PDB file of all heavy atoms in Angstrom:
ATOM      1  N   TYR A   8     -16.131  52.439-102.106  1.00  0.00           N
ATOM      2  CA  TYR A   8     -16.602  51.412-103.029  1.00  0.00           C
ATOM      3  C   TYR A   8     -15.731  51.394-104.288  1.00  0.00           C
ATOM      4  O   TYR A   8     -15.240  52.423-104.741  1.00  0.00           O
ATOM      5  CB  TYR A   8     -18.047  51.687-103.453  1.00  0.00           C
ATOM      6  CG  TYR A   8     -19.034  51.615-102.318  1.00  0.00           C
ATOM      7  CD1 TYR A   8     -19.403  52.753-101.616  1.00  0.00           C
ATOM      8  CD2 TYR A   8     -19.587  50.392-101.946  1.00  0.00           C
ATOM      9  CE1 TYR A   8     -20.308  52.679-100.551  1.00  0.00           C
ATOM     10  CE2 TYR A   8     -20.488  50.314-100.897  1.00  0.00           C
ATOM     11  CZ  TYR A   8     -20.835  51.466-100.213  1.00  0.00           C
ATOM     12  OH  TYR A   8     -21.739  51.381 -99.173  1.00  0.00           O
ATOM     13  N   ALA A   9     -15.612  50.218-104.856  1.00  0.00           N
ATOM     14  CA  ALA A   9     -15.027  50.111-106.186  1.00  0.00           C
ATOM     15  C   ALA A   9     -15.995  50.733-107.190  1.00  0.00           C
ATOM     16  O   ALA A   9     -17.215  50.669-107.015  1.00  0.00           O
ATOM     17  CB  ALA A   9     -14.775  48.649-106.532  1.00  0.00           C
ATOM     18  N   ASP A  10     -15.454  51.304-108.242  1.00  0.00           N
ATOM     19  CA  ASP A  10     -16.305  51.944-109.252  1.00  0.00           C
ATOM     20  C   ASP A  10     -17.306  50.962-109.854  1.00  0.00           C
ATOM     21  O   ASP A  10     -18.425  51.333-110.200  1.00  0.00           O
ATOM     22  CB  ASP A  10     -15.441  52.540-110.367  1.00  0.00           C
ATOM     23  CG  ASP A  10     -14.684  53.776-109.918  1.00  0.00           C
ATOM     24  OD1 ASP A  10     -15.055  54.373-108.879  1.00  0.00           O
ATOM     25  OD2 ASP A  10     -13.728  54.156-110.614  1.00  0.00           O
ATOM     26  N   SER A  11     -16.912  49.705-109.947  1.00  0.00           N
ATOM     27  CA  SER A  11     -17.751  48.701-110.599  1.00  0.00           C
ATOM     28  C   SER A  11     -19.020  48.364-109.806  1.00  0.00           C
ATOM     29  O   SER A  11     -19.963  47.803-110.360  1.00  0.00           O
ATOM     30  CB  SER A  11     -16.945  47.427-110.835  1.00  0.00           C
ATOM     31  OG  SER A  11     -16.456  46.908-109.605  1.00  0.00           O
ATOM     32  N   VAL A  12     -19.039  48.709-108.510  1.00  0.00           N
ATOM     33  CA  VAL A  12     -20.205  48.375-107.690  1.00  0.00           C
ATOM     34  C   VAL A  12     -20.886  49.609-107.113  1.00  0.00           C
ATOM     35  O   VAL A  12     -21.946  49.488-106.481  1.00  0.00           O
ATOM     36  CB  VAL A  12     -19.823  47.413-106.539  1.00  0.00           C
ATOM     37  CG1 VAL A  12     -19.101  46.186-107.082  1.00  0.00           C
ATOM     38  CG2 VAL A  12     -18.988  48.101-105.469  1.00  0.00           C
ATOM     39  N   LYS A  13     -20.302  50.761-107.333  1.00  0.00           N
ATOM     40  CA  LYS A  13     -20.850  51.988-106.759  1.00  0.00           C
ATOM     41  C   LYS A  13     -22.274  52.209-107.251  1.00  0.00           C
ATOM     42  O   LYS A  13     -22.569  52.086-108.432  1.00  0.00           O
ATOM     43  CB  LYS A  13     -19.953  53.170-107.154  1.00  0.00           C
ATOM     44  CG  LYS A  13     -20.038  54.359-106.243  1.00  0.00           C
ATOM     45  CD  LYS A  13     -18.947  55.373-106.574  1.00  0.00           C
ATOM     46  CE  LYS A  13     -17.570  54.865-106.244  1.00  0.00           C
ATOM     47  NZ  LYS A  13     -16.506  55.861-106.492  1.00  0.00           N
ATOM     48  N   GLY A  14     -23.174  52.505-106.323  1.00  0.00           N
ATOM     49  CA  GLY A  14     -24.571  52.713-106.664  1.00  0.00           C
ATOM     50  C   GLY A  14     -25.399  51.446-106.638  1.00  0.00           C
ATOM     51  O   GLY A  14     -26.633  51.506-106.660  1.00  0.00           O
ATOM     52  N   ARG A  15     -24.743  50.286-106.586  1.00  0.00           N
ATOM     53  CA  ARG A  15     -25.461  49.001-106.549  1.00  0.00           C
ATOM     54  C   ARG A  15     -25.253  48.261-105.226  1.00  0.00           C
ATOM     55  O   ARG A  15     -26.158  47.566-104.758  1.00  0.00           O
ATOM     56  CB  ARG A  15     -24.991  48.105-107.700  1.00  0.00           C
ATOM     57  CG  ARG A  15     -25.204  48.682-109.084  1.00  0.00           C
ATOM     58  CD  ARG A  15     -24.906  47.662-110.168  1.00  0.00           C
ATOM     59  NE  ARG A  15     -23.506  47.233-110.162  1.00  0.00           N
ATOM     60  CZ  ARG A  15     -23.125  45.962-110.030  1.00  0.00           C
ATOM     61  NH1 ARG A  15     -24.016  44.998-109.882  1.00  0.00           N
ATOM     62  NH2 ARG A  15     -21.838  45.650-110.053  1.00  0.00           N
ATOM     63  N   PHE A  16     -24.093  48.397-104.645  1.00  0.00           N
ATOM     64  CA  PHE A  16     -23.753  47.700-103.393  1.00  0.00           C
ATOM     65  C   PHE A  16     -23.707  48.707-102.242  1.00  0.00           C
ATOM     66  O   PHE A  16     -23.308  49.859-102.425  1.00  0.00           O
ATOM     67  CB  PHE A  16     -22.392  47.029-103.500  1.00  0.00           C
ATOM     68  CG  PHE A  16     -22.333  45.839-104.425  1.00  0.00           C
ATOM     69  CD1 PHE A  16     -23.363  45.532-105.302  1.00  0.00           C
ATOM     70  CD2 PHE A  16     -21.215  45.018-104.418  1.00  0.00           C
ATOM     71  CE1 PHE A  16     -23.291  44.450-106.156  1.00  0.00           C
ATOM     72  CE2 PHE A  16     -21.118  43.917-105.260  1.00  0.00           C
ATOM     73  CZ  PHE A  16     -22.165  43.636-106.136  1.00  0.00           C
ATOM     74  N   THR A  17     -24.080  48.225-101.066  1.00  0.00           N
ATOM     75  CA  THR A  17     -24.013  49.049 -99.859  1.00  0.00           C
ATOM     76  C   THR A  17     -23.396  48.238 -98.723  1.00  0.00           C
ATOM     77  O   THR A  17     -23.881  47.137 -98.425  1.00  0.00           O
ATOM     78  CB  THR A  17     -25.405  49.527 -99.426  1.00  0.00           C
ATOM     79  OG1 THR A  17     -26.007  50.265-100.499  1.00  0.00           O
ATOM     80  CG2 THR A  17     -25.306  50.424 -98.202  1.00  0.00           C
ATOM     81  N   VAL A  18     -22.353  48.785 -98.125  1.00  0.00           N
ATOM     82  CA  VAL A  18     -21.712  48.138 -96.978  1.00  0.00           C
ATOM     83  C   VAL A  18     -22.196  48.831 -95.701  1.00  0.00           C
ATOM     84  O   VAL A  18     -22.355  50.057 -95.666  1.00  0.00           O
ATOM     85  CB  VAL A  18     -20.173  48.173 -97.097  1.00  0.00           C
ATOM     86  CG1 VAL A  18     -19.638  49.588 -97.168  1.00  0.00           C
ATOM     87  CG2 VAL A  18     -19.522  47.385 -95.970  1.00  0.00           C
ATOM     88  N   SER A  19     -22.436  48.028 -94.680  1.00  0.00           N
ATOM     89  CA  SER A  19     -22.872  48.565 -93.390  1.00  0.00           C
ATOM     90  C   SER A  19     -22.353  47.655 -92.283  1.00  0.00           C
ATOM     91  O   SER A  19     -21.869  46.554 -92.550  1.00  0.00           O
ATOM     92  CB  SER A  19     -24.398  48.672 -93.319  1.00  0.00           C
ATOM     93  OG  SER A  19     -24.992  47.390 -93.453  1.00  0.00           O
ATOM     94  N   ARG A  20     -22.429  48.130 -91.062  1.00  0.00           N
ATOM     95  CA  ARG A  20     -21.971  47.315 -89.943  1.00  0.00           C
ATOM     96  C   ARG A  20     -22.844  47.566 -88.730  1.00  0.00           C
ATOM     97  O   ARG A  20     -23.413  48.656 -88.570  1.00  0.00           O
ATOM     98  CB  ARG A  20     -20.503  47.589 -89.623  1.00  0.00           C
ATOM     99  CG  ARG A  20     -20.206  48.966 -89.095  1.00  0.00           C
ATOM    100  CD  ARG A  20     -18.688  49.205 -89.028  1.00  0.00           C
ATOM    101  NE  ARG A  20     -18.049  48.375 -88.015  1.00  0.00           N
ATOM    102  CZ  ARG A  20     -16.729  48.190 -87.944  1.00  0.00           C
ATOM    103  NH1 ARG A  20     -15.935  48.753 -88.841  1.00  0.00           N
ATOM    104  NH2 ARG A  20     -16.209  47.438 -86.992  1.00  0.00           N
ATOM    105  N   ASP A  21     -22.921  46.565 -87.880  1.00  0.00           N
ATOM    106  CA  ASP A  21     -23.626  46.669 -86.616  1.00  0.00           C
ATOM    107  C   ASP A  21     -22.634  46.238 -85.546  1.00  0.00           C
ATOM    108  O   ASP A  21     -22.394  45.045 -85.341  1.00  0.00           O
ATOM    109  CB  ASP A  21     -24.860  45.760 -86.623  1.00  0.00           C
ATOM    110  CG  ASP A  21     -25.711  45.906 -85.368  1.00  0.00           C
ATOM    111  OD1 ASP A  21     -25.168  46.349 -84.330  1.00  0.00           O
ATOM    112  OD2 ASP A  21     -26.894  45.573 -85.416  1.00  0.00           O
ATOM    113  N   ASN A  22     -22.029  47.197 -84.879  1.00  0.00           N
ATOM    114  CA  ASN A  22     -20.990  46.881 -83.903  1.00  0.00           C
ATOM    115  C   ASN A  22     -21.550  46.139 -82.694  1.00  0.00           C
ATOM    116  O   ASN A  22     -20.833  45.392 -82.028  1.00  0.00           O
ATOM    117  CB  ASN A  22     -20.263  48.147 -83.465  1.00  0.00           C
ATOM    118  CG  ASN A  22     -19.308  48.664 -84.538  1.00  0.00           C
ATOM    119  OD1 ASN A  22     -19.011  47.968 -85.508  1.00  0.00           O
ATOM    120  ND2 ASN A  22     -18.836  49.883 -84.371  1.00  0.00           N
ATOM    121  N   ALA A  23     -22.832  46.340 -82.411  1.00  0.00           N
ATOM    122  CA  ALA A  23     -23.449  45.616 -81.294  1.00  0.00           C
ATOM    123  C   ALA A  23     -23.573  44.122 -81.592  1.00  0.00           C
ATOM    124  O   ALA A  23     -23.566  43.298 -80.679  1.00  0.00           O
ATOM    125  CB  ALA A  23     -24.821  46.202 -80.993  1.00  0.00           C
ATOM    126  N   LYS A  24     -23.682  43.788 -82.886  1.00  0.00           N
ATOM    127  CA  LYS A  24     -23.804  42.389 -83.293  1.00  0.00           C
ATOM    128  C   LYS A  24     -22.502  41.838 -83.863  1.00  0.00           C
ATOM    129  O   LYS A  24     -22.457  40.695 -84.327  1.00  0.00           O
ATOM    130  CB  LYS A  24     -24.919  42.236 -84.338  1.00  0.00           C
ATOM    131  CG  LYS A  24     -26.299  42.571 -83.809  1.00  0.00           C
ATOM    132  CD  LYS A  24     -27.361  42.347 -84.875  1.00  0.00           C
ATOM    133  CE  LYS A  24     -28.752  42.627 -84.322  1.00  0.00           C
ATOM    134  NZ  LYS A  24     -29.804  42.418 -85.354  1.00  0.00           N
ATOM    135  N   ASN A  25     -21.453  42.664 -83.879  1.00  0.00           N
ATOM    136  CA  ASN A  25     -20.164  42.244 -84.440  1.00  0.00           C
ATOM    137  C   ASN A  25     -20.313  41.705 -85.852  1.00  0.00           C
ATOM    138  O   ASN A  25     -19.722  40.676 -86.213  1.00  0.00           O
ATOM    139  CB  ASN A  25     -19.508  41.178 -83.548  1.00  0.00           C
ATOM    140  CG  ASN A  25     -18.937  41.750 -82.271  1.00  0.00           C
ATOM    141  OD1 ASN A  25     -19.051  42.942 -82.008  1.00  0.00           O
ATOM    142  ND2 ASN A  25     -18.331  40.908 -81.466  1.00  0.00           N
ATOM    143  N   THR A  26     -21.079  42.398 -86.650  1.00  0.00           N
ATOM    144  CA  THR A  26     -21.387  41.923 -87.994  1.00  0.00           C
ATOM    145  C   THR A  26     -21.273  43.058 -89.005  1.00  0.00           C
ATOM    146  O   THR A  26     -21.675  44.194 -88.723  1.00  0.00           O
ATOM    147  CB  THR A  26     -22.803  41.316 -88.046  1.00  0.00           C
ATOM    148  OG1 THR A  26     -22.894  40.246 -87.093  1.00  0.00           O
ATOM    149  CG2 THR A  26     -23.108  40.771 -89.430  1.00  0.00           C
ATOM    150  N   VAL A  27     -20.742  42.726 -90.162  1.00  0.00           N
ATOM    151  CA  VAL A  27     -20.697  43.643 -91.293  1.00  0.00           C
ATOM    152  C   VAL A  27     -21.511  43.020 -92.425  1.00  0.00           C
ATOM    153  O   VAL A  27     -21.560  41.791 -92.569  1.00  0.00           O
ATOM    154  CB  VAL A  27     -19.249  43.944 -91.724  1.00  0.00           C
ATOM    155  CG1 VAL A  27     -18.532  42.688 -92.189  1.00  0.00           C
ATOM    156  CG2 VAL A  27     -19.209  45.024 -92.795  1.00  0.00           C
ATOM    157  N   TYR A  28     -22.160  43.872 -93.206  1.00  0.00           N
ATOM    158  CA  TYR A  28     -23.061  43.415 -94.256  1.00  0.00           C
ATOM    159  C   TYR A  28     -22.647  43.996 -95.604  1.00  0.00           C
ATOM    160  O   TYR A  28     -22.046  45.076 -95.683  1.00  0.00           O
ATOM    161  CB  TYR A  28     -24.499  43.848 -93.954  1.00  0.00           C
ATOM    162  CG  TYR A  28     -25.011  43.424 -92.606  1.00  0.00           C
ATOM    163  CD1 TYR A  28     -24.960  44.301 -91.528  1.00  0.00           C
ATOM    164  CD2 TYR A  28     -25.529  42.156 -92.411  1.00  0.00           C
ATOM    165  CE1 TYR A  28     -25.425  43.924 -90.275  1.00  0.00           C
ATOM    166  CE2 TYR A  28     -25.999  41.761 -91.159  1.00  0.00           C
ATOM    167  CZ  TYR A  28     -25.943  42.652 -90.107  1.00  0.00           C
ATOM    168  OH  TYR A  28     -26.403  42.266 -88.865  1.00  0.00           O
ATOM    169  N   LEU A  29     -23.031  43.297 -96.647  1.00  0.00           N
ATOM    170  CA  LEU A  29     -22.882  43.812 -98.003  1.00  0.00           C
ATOM    171  C   LEU A  29     -24.187  43.551 -98.741  1.00  0.00           C
ATOM    172  O   LEU A  29     -24.495  42.405 -99.085  1.00  0.00           O
ATOM    173  CB  LEU A  29     -21.708  43.163 -98.742  1.00  0.00           C
ATOM    174  CG  LEU A  29     -21.413  43.743-100.125  1.00  0.00           C
ATOM    175  CD1 LEU A  29     -20.888  45.181 -99.990  1.00  0.00           C
ATOM    176  CD2 LEU A  29     -20.413  42.891-100.885  1.00  0.00           C
ATOM    177  N   GLN A  30     -24.973  44.606 -98.916  1.00  0.00           N
ATOM    178  CA  GLN A  30     -26.211  44.507 -99.680  1.00  0.00           C
ATOM    179  C   GLN A  30     -25.879  44.703-101.147  1.00  0.00           C
ATOM    180  O   GLN A  30     -25.318  45.738-101.525  1.00  0.00           O
ATOM    181  CB  GLN A  30     -27.207  45.572 -99.213  1.00  0.00           C
ATOM    182  CG  GLN A  30     -28.492  45.598-100.014  1.00  0.00           C
ATOM    183  CD  GLN A  30     -29.335  44.357 -99.810  1.00  0.00           C
ATOM    184  OE1 GLN A  30     -29.567  43.934 -98.683  1.00  0.00           O
ATOM    185  NE2 GLN A  30     -29.809  43.762-100.908  1.00  0.00           N
ATOM    186  N   MET A  31     -26.223  43.719-101.966  1.00  0.00           N
ATOM    187  CA  MET A  31     -25.884  43.754-103.381  1.00  0.00           C
ATOM    188  C   MET A  31     -27.180  43.765-104.195  1.00  0.00           C
ATOM    189  O   MET A  31     -27.958  42.813-104.136  1.00  0.00           O
ATOM    190  CB  MET A  31     -25.029  42.540-103.752  1.00  0.00           C
ATOM    191  CG  MET A  31     -23.779  42.392-102.891  1.00  0.00           C
ATOM    192  SD  MET A  31     -22.710  41.047-103.426  1.00  0.00           S
ATOM    193  CE  MET A  31     -23.756  39.638-103.089  1.00  0.00           C
ATOM    194  N   ASN A  32     -27.392  44.841-104.926  1.00  0.00           N
ATOM    195  CA  ASN A  32     -28.578  44.988-105.767  1.00  0.00           C
ATOM    196  C   ASN A  32     -28.169  45.065-107.231  1.00  0.00           C
ATOM    197  O   ASN A  32     -27.003  45.313-107.551  1.00  0.00           O
ATOM    198  CB  ASN A  32     -29.342  46.252-105.378  1.00  0.00           C
ATOM    199  CG  ASN A  32     -29.843  46.212-103.954  1.00  0.00           C
ATOM    200  OD1 ASN A  32     -30.172  45.167-103.409  1.00  0.00           O
ATOM    201  ND2 ASN A  32     -29.913  47.383-103.324  1.00  0.00           N
ATOM    202  N   SER A  33     -29.142  44.867-108.107  1.00  0.00           N
ATOM    203  CA  SER A  33     -28.908  44.956-109.553  1.00  0.00           C
ATOM    204  C   SER A  33     -27.708  44.117-109.959  1.00  0.00           C
ATOM    205  O   SER A  33     -26.818  44.589-110.695  1.00  0.00           O
ATOM    206  CB  SER A  33     -28.710  46.422-109.976  1.00  0.00           C
ATOM    207  OG  SER A  33     -29.834  47.197-109.625  1.00  0.00           O
ATOM    208  N   LEU A  34     -27.665  42.899-109.492  1.00  0.00           N
ATOM    209  CA  LEU A  34     -26.504  42.049-109.736  1.00  0.00           C
ATOM    210  C   LEU A  34     -26.350  41.722-111.207  1.00  0.00           C
ATOM    211  O   LEU A  34     -27.333  41.577-111.950  1.00  0.00           O
ATOM    212  CB  LEU A  34     -26.623  40.773-108.912  1.00  0.00           C
ATOM    213  CG  LEU A  34     -26.268  40.955-107.431  1.00  0.00           C
ATOM    214  CD1 LEU A  34     -26.833  39.829-106.586  1.00  0.00           C
ATOM    215  CD2 LEU A  34     -24.771  41.064-107.255  1.00  0.00           C
ATOM    216  N   LYS A  35     -25.090  41.596-111.617  1.00  0.00           N
ATOM    217  CA  LYS A  35     -24.724  41.296-112.997  1.00  0.00           C
ATOM    218  C   LYS A  35     -23.919  39.997-113.044  1.00  0.00           C
ATOM    219  O   LYS A  35     -23.270  39.641-112.050  1.00  0.00           O
ATOM    220  CB  LYS A  35     -23.867  42.435-113.555  1.00  0.00           C
ATOM    221  CG  LYS A  35     -24.500  43.798-113.461  1.00  0.00           C
ATOM    222  CD  LYS A  35     -23.530  44.876-113.925  1.00  0.00           C
ATOM    223  CE  LYS A  35     -24.118  46.264-113.810  1.00  0.00           C
ATOM    224  NZ  LYS A  35     -23.179  47.316-114.262  1.00  0.00           N
ATOM    225  N   PRO A  36     -23.905  39.321-114.172  1.00  0.00           N
ATOM    226  CA  PRO A  36     -23.095  38.094-114.265  1.00  0.00           C
ATOM    227  C   PRO A  36     -21.629  38.328-113.905  1.00  0.00           C
ATOM    228  O   PRO A  36     -20.992  37.440-113.328  1.00  0.00           O
ATOM    229  CB  PRO A  36     -23.264  37.692-115.724  1.00  0.00           C
ATOM    230  CG  PRO A  36     -24.619  38.201-116.093  1.00  0.00           C
ATOM    231  CD  PRO A  36     -24.744  39.504-115.362  1.00  0.00           C
ATOM    232  N   GLU A  37     -21.122  39.504-114.204  1.00  0.00           N
ATOM    233  CA  GLU A  37     -19.720  39.791-113.889  1.00  0.00           C
ATOM    234  C   GLU A  37     -19.471  39.989-112.398  1.00  0.00           C
ATOM    235  O   GLU A  37     -18.317  40.110-111.977  1.00  0.00           O
ATOM    236  CB  GLU A  37     -19.226  41.022-114.654  1.00  0.00           C
ATOM    237  CG  GLU A  37     -20.091  42.243-114.536  1.00  0.00           C
ATOM    238  CD  GLU A  37     -21.056  42.381-115.717  1.00  0.00           C
ATOM    239  OE1 GLU A  37     -21.658  41.350-116.126  1.00  0.00           O
ATOM    240  OE2 GLU A  37     -21.203  43.516-116.225  1.00  0.00           O
ATOM    241  N   ASP A  38     -20.515  39.988-111.587  1.00  0.00           N
ATOM    242  CA  ASP A  38     -20.344  40.013-110.132  1.00  0.00           C
ATOM    243  C   ASP A  38     -20.089  38.619-109.569  1.00  0.00           C
ATOM    244  O   ASP A  38     -19.808  38.478-108.371  1.00  0.00           O
ATOM    245  CB  ASP A  38     -21.587  40.594-109.452  1.00  0.00           C
ATOM    246  CG  ASP A  38     -21.815  42.049-109.788  1.00  0.00           C
ATOM    247  OD1 ASP A  38     -20.829  42.815-109.807  1.00  0.00           O
ATOM    248  OD2 ASP A  38     -22.972  42.431-110.027  1.00  0.00           O
ATOM    249  N   THR A  39     -20.181  37.611-110.405  1.00  0.00           N
ATOM    250  CA  THR A  39     -19.943  36.237-109.959  1.00  0.00           C
ATOM    251  C   THR A  39     -18.521  36.080-109.451  1.00  0.00           C
ATOM    252  O   THR A  39     -17.562  36.402-110.153  1.00  0.00           O
ATOM    253  CB  THR A  39     -20.195  35.250-111.109  1.00  0.00           C
ATOM    254  OG1 THR A  39     -21.584  35.298-111.471  1.00  0.00           O
ATOM    255  CG2 THR A  39     -19.829  33.828-110.705  1.00  0.00           C
ATOM    256  N   ALA A  40     -18.397  35.594-108.219  1.00  0.00           N
ATOM    257  CA  ALA A  40     -17.080  35.441-107.578  1.00  0.00           C
ATOM    258  C   ALA A  40     -17.277  34.846-106.195  1.00  0.00           C
ATOM    259  O   ALA A  40     -18.399  34.740-105.699  1.00  0.00           O
ATOM    260  CB  ALA A  40     -16.386  36.797-107.466  1.00  0.00           C
ATOM    261  N   VAL A  41     -16.153  34.505-105.576  1.00  0.00           N
ATOM    262  CA  VAL A  41     -16.153  34.215-104.145  1.00  0.00           C
ATOM    263  C   VAL A  41     -15.929  35.542-103.433  1.00  0.00           C
ATOM    264  O   VAL A  41     -14.984  36.266-103.764  1.00  0.00           O
ATOM    265  CB  VAL A  41     -15.062  33.202-103.769  1.00  0.00           C
ATOM    266  CG1 VAL A  41     -15.049  32.985-102.250  1.00  0.00           C
ATOM    267  CG2 VAL A  41     -15.292  31.885-104.500  1.00  0.00           C
ATOM    268  N   TYR A  42     -16.784  35.842-102.488  1.00  0.00           N
ATOM    269  CA  TYR A  42     -16.709  37.095-101.746  1.00  0.00           C
ATOM    270  C   TYR A  42     -16.121  36.841-100.360  1.00  0.00           C
ATOM    271  O   TYR A  42     -16.555  35.910 -99.658  1.00  0.00           O
ATOM    272  CB  TYR A  42     -18.097  37.722-101.634  1.00  0.00           C
ATOM    273  CG  TYR A  42     -18.527  38.400-102.907  1.00  0.00           C
ATOM    274  CD1 TYR A  42     -18.863  37.659-104.034  1.00  0.00           C
ATOM    275  CD2 TYR A  42     -18.581  39.793-103.003  1.00  0.00           C
ATOM    276  CE1 TYR A  42     -19.240  38.269-105.221  1.00  0.00           C
ATOM    277  CE2 TYR A  42     -18.956  40.412-104.181  1.00  0.00           C
ATOM    278  CZ  TYR A  42     -19.286  39.649-105.285  1.00  0.00           C
ATOM    279  OH  TYR A  42     -19.646  40.261-106.449  1.00  0.00           O
ATOM    280  N   TYR A  43     -15.166  37.688-100.006  1.00  0.00           N
ATOM    281  CA  TYR A  43     -14.476  37.570 -98.732  1.00  0.00           C
ATOM    282  C   TYR A  43     -14.646  38.850 -97.916  1.00  0.00           C
ATOM    283  O   TYR A  43     -14.594  39.945 -98.478  1.00  0.00           O
ATOM    284  CB  TYR A  43     -12.981  37.364 -98.941  1.00  0.00           C
ATOM    285  CG  TYR A  43     -12.599  36.130 -99.709  1.00  0.00           C
ATOM    286  CD1 TYR A  43     -12.503  36.156-101.100  1.00  0.00           C
ATOM    287  CD2 TYR A  43     -12.324  34.938 -99.051  1.00  0.00           C
ATOM    288  CE1 TYR A  43     -12.145  35.025-101.816  1.00  0.00           C
ATOM    289  CE2 TYR A  43     -11.959  33.801 -99.749  1.00  0.00           C
ATOM    290  CZ  TYR A  43     -11.872  33.855-101.126  1.00  0.00           C
ATOM    291  OH  TYR A  43     -11.506  32.731-101.821  1.00  0.00           O
ATOM    292  N   CYS A  44     -14.814  38.702 -96.615  1.00  0.00           N
ATOM    293  CA  CYS A  44     -14.691  39.865 -95.758  1.00  0.00           C
ATOM    294  C   CYS A  44     -13.318  39.809 -95.086  1.00  0.00           C
ATOM    295  O   CYS A  44     -12.718  38.735 -94.929  1.00  0.00           O
ATOM    296  CB  CYS A  44     -15.810  39.967 -94.733  1.00  0.00           C
ATOM    297  SG  CYS A  44     -15.793  38.719 -93.453  1.00  0.00           S
ATOM    298  N   ALA A  45     -12.836  40.982 -94.714  1.00  0.00           N
ATOM    299  CA  ALA A  45     -11.502  41.095 -94.136  1.00  0.00           C
ATOM    300  C   ALA A  45     -11.488  42.223 -93.118  1.00  0.00           C
ATOM    301  O   ALA A  45     -12.294  43.160 -93.212  1.00  0.00           O
ATOM    302  CB  ALA A  45     -10.474  41.356 -95.230  1.00  0.00           C
ATOM    303  N   ALA A  46     -10.563  42.122 -92.168  1.00  0.00           N
ATOM    304  CA  ALA A  46     -10.481  43.110 -91.098  1.00  0.00           C
ATOM    305  C   ALA A  46      -9.061  43.626 -90.951  1.00  0.00           C
ATOM    306  O   ALA A  46      -8.088  42.877 -91.116  1.00  0.00           O
ATOM    307  CB  ALA A  46     -10.952  42.499 -89.774  1.00  0.00           C
ATOM    308  N   VAL A  47      -8.951  44.905 -90.632  1.00  0.00           N
ATOM    309  CA  VAL A  47      -7.652  45.533 -90.361  1.00  0.00           C
ATOM    310  C   VAL A  47      -7.813  46.440 -89.149  1.00  0.00           C
ATOM    311  O   VAL A  47      -8.798  47.176 -89.039  1.00  0.00           O
ATOM    312  CB  VAL A  47      -7.132  46.308 -91.587  1.00  0.00           C
ATOM    313  CG1 VAL A  47      -8.132  47.335 -92.072  1.00  0.00           C
ATOM    314  CG2 VAL A  47      -5.794  46.965 -91.277  1.00  0.00           C
ATOM    315  N   ARG A  48      -6.854  46.361 -88.251  1.00  0.00           N
ATOM    316  CA  ARG A  48      -6.866  47.226 -87.073  1.00  0.00           C
ATOM    317  C   ARG A  48      -6.748  48.664 -87.546  1.00  0.00           C
ATOM    318  O   ARG A  48      -5.804  49.030 -88.234  1.00  0.00           O
ATOM    319  CB  ARG A  48      -5.717  46.867 -86.137  1.00  0.00           C
ATOM    320  CG  ARG A  48      -5.666  47.658 -84.842  1.00  0.00           C
ATOM    321  CD  ARG A  48      -6.798  47.289 -83.918  1.00  0.00           C
ATOM    322  NE  ARG A  48      -6.575  47.794 -82.569  1.00  0.00           N
ATOM    323  CZ  ARG A  48      -6.905  48.993 -82.153  1.00  0.00           C
ATOM    324  NH1 ARG A  48      -7.451  49.856 -82.996  1.00  0.00           N
ATOM    325  NH2 ARG A  48      -6.673  49.358 -80.910  1.00  0.00           N
ATOM    326  N   ALA A  49      -7.700  49.508 -87.179  1.00  0.00           N
ATOM    327  CA  ALA A  49      -7.754  50.865 -87.693  1.00  0.00           C
ATOM    328  C   ALA A  49      -7.416  51.857 -86.598  1.00  0.00           C
ATOM    329  O   ALA A  49      -8.049  51.869 -85.544  1.00  0.00           O
ATOM    330  CB  ALA A  49      -9.136  51.153 -88.255  1.00  0.00           C
ATOM    331  N   TYR A  50      -6.425  52.706 -86.851  1.00  0.00           N
ATOM    332  CA  TYR A  50      -6.020  53.724 -85.888  1.00  0.00           C
ATOM    333  C   TYR A  50      -6.456  55.122 -86.314  1.00  0.00           C
ATOM    334  O   TYR A  50      -6.423  56.056 -85.529  1.00  0.00           O
ATOM    335  CB  TYR A  50      -4.511  53.680 -85.700  1.00  0.00           C
ATOM    336  CG  TYR A  50      -4.038  52.358 -85.141  1.00  0.00           C
ATOM    337  CD1 TYR A  50      -3.603  51.340 -85.974  1.00  0.00           C
ATOM    338  CD2 TYR A  50      -4.058  52.115 -83.772  1.00  0.00           C
ATOM    339  CE1 TYR A  50      -3.185  50.124 -85.463  1.00  0.00           C
ATOM    340  CE2 TYR A  50      -3.641  50.899 -83.250  1.00  0.00           C
ATOM    341  CZ  TYR A  50      -3.214  49.919 -84.097  1.00  0.00           C
ATOM    342  OH  TYR A  50      -2.805  48.710 -83.591  1.00  0.00           O
TER     343      TYR A  50
END
């Protein structure tokens, strides 16, 4: 996690559903943005 979201955001994935999630709690105005997910082949 980035330091700015640590303790407030949680990332998780469900490989059976091919889905990744980002739970965002205690949101702040400075969290305002366009959010993107991205993938990289991991070895």
